[in-house]
Amino acid sequence: MACSTCAKCIFMLLNVLFLVIGLAFLVVGVLLAFLPGTILSSVYDQVKAAVSSTTSYNIPTSADDLKNLPLLFEIGLALFILGTILFVISFLGCCGSCCKCCRFMLILFAIVMLCLMIAQLVVVTMFYVADSPLHKTIRSVLKDKITNEYDEQGEDTFSTSLNLVQHYFECCGIDGAEDFGGKDHSYVCKSNTYGCYSKLTDVIQSNIIWAGLALAGLLALELIEVILAIVIFKSSNKVSPF
């Protein structure tokens, strides 16, 4: 009995933690996807001050225009989905732990949590492998935007964002100057041929140990929750084959 009570307490604490994390992801996702100006207004002010003092680039007239930043909607939508899943799973766990009539939710919780862990491993693996389909898709989307939307002297969000990234990170295009085809492109590309996306992957690789430890910690917490859910279910249903 004492072991079961202790397991319930730890399980509830972890679920409350994931409820808060899920809610935070959900809120940030909604803001990034649908109301980017709300969360990025302070970033806009800093960028505007930096640009006006160090470069001749034009920038969008307000933070509301940041909704056009590349992949911003997709990132916000991904956070929204992840936050919703975490919130729902944690809610199932809390209900299953507290209500005897809802014990079946603990098994449902364990199954869904295991599926989520597998999905996380797949996505993170694709993110860390430089030539994965995920990176190829992102590269393709950004290159298409250069072909269809980029204007070196343009005031649109995408053109300005690319100009700033190239200037501050001393890189050129996505994979190099060839991404621009026959278009005019930043003077930075005349002295730097290294692609900006390669710069990003270099940053990822340089921090892969810390990122791996963070992922391992998250997966460990999720695995503990799965084990505790099964322990609580077994202790409350002695005749169960589980």
Side-chain angles (χ1 to χ4, degrees), residues 61-196:
T61 56
S62 73
D64 291 332
D65 294 328
L66 294 175
K67 63 184 180 182
N68 297 316
L69 281 172
L71 303 178
L72 185 63
F73 175 79
E74 289 79 2
I75 293 172
L77 185 60
L79 288 174
F80 173 78
I81 294 173
L82 177 60
T84 301
I85 292 173
L86 282 175
F87 188 86
V88 171
I89 292 176
S90 300
F91 181 76
L92 285 175
C94 290
C95 290
S97 177
C98 295
C99 305
K100 291 184 178 180
C101 61
C102 298
R103 290 296 193 227
F104 70 93
M105 289 187 177
L106 291 172
I107 296 302
L108 181 60
F109 169 89
I111 294 172
V112 177
M113 184 62 81
L114 284 172
C115 291
L116 178 61
M117 292 171 64
I118 294 171
Q120 288 172 338
L121 282 172
V122 171
V123 172
V124 171
T125 300
M126 292 177 66
F127 192 77
Y128 283 124
V129 176
D131 59 347
S132 69
L134 176 63
H135 285 297
K136 289 179 180 178
T137 300
I138 295 175
R139 275 187 161 99
S140 177
V141 170
L142 293 176
K143 288 183 179 182
D144 285 343
K145 291 181 76 70
I146 288 179
T147 301
N148 299 319
E149 301 179 23
Y150 180 73
D151 178 1
E152 185 176 10
Q153 301 302 322
E155 298 183 9
D156 62 284
T157 306
F158 176 72
S159 298
T160 304
S161 300
L162 184 57
N163 285 336
L164 291 174
V165 168
Q166 291 180 136
H167 175 76
Y168 287 108
F169 292 95
E170 297 182 344
C171 55
C172 180
I174 305 305
D175 288 320
E178 65 274 7
D179 294 335
F180 296 94
K183 286 187 174 184
D184 291 334
H185 50 276
S186 174
Y187 70 91
V188 177
C189 290
K190 297 178 181 178
S191 57
N192 296 282
T193 59
Y194 203 59
C196 295

Side-chain angles (χ1 to χ4, degrees), residues 22-83:
L23 184 61
F25 281 169
L26 194 153
V27 171
V28 173
V30 169
L31 292 176
L32 285 178
F34 304 106
L35 299 168
T38 304
I39 197 170
L40 297 177
S41 57
S42 60
V43 176
Y44 170 81
D45 293 336
Q46 295 176 12
V47 171
K48 184 177 181 180
V51 169
S52 60
S53 61
T54 61
T55 74
S56 59
Y57 295 137
N58 297 315
I59 64 171
T61 56
S62 73
D64 291 332
D65 294 328
L66 294 175
K67 63 184 180 182
N68 297 316
L69 281 172
L71 303 178
L72 185 63
F73 175 79
E74 289 79 2
I75 293 172
L77 185 60
L79 288 174
F80 173 78
I81 294 173
L82 177 60

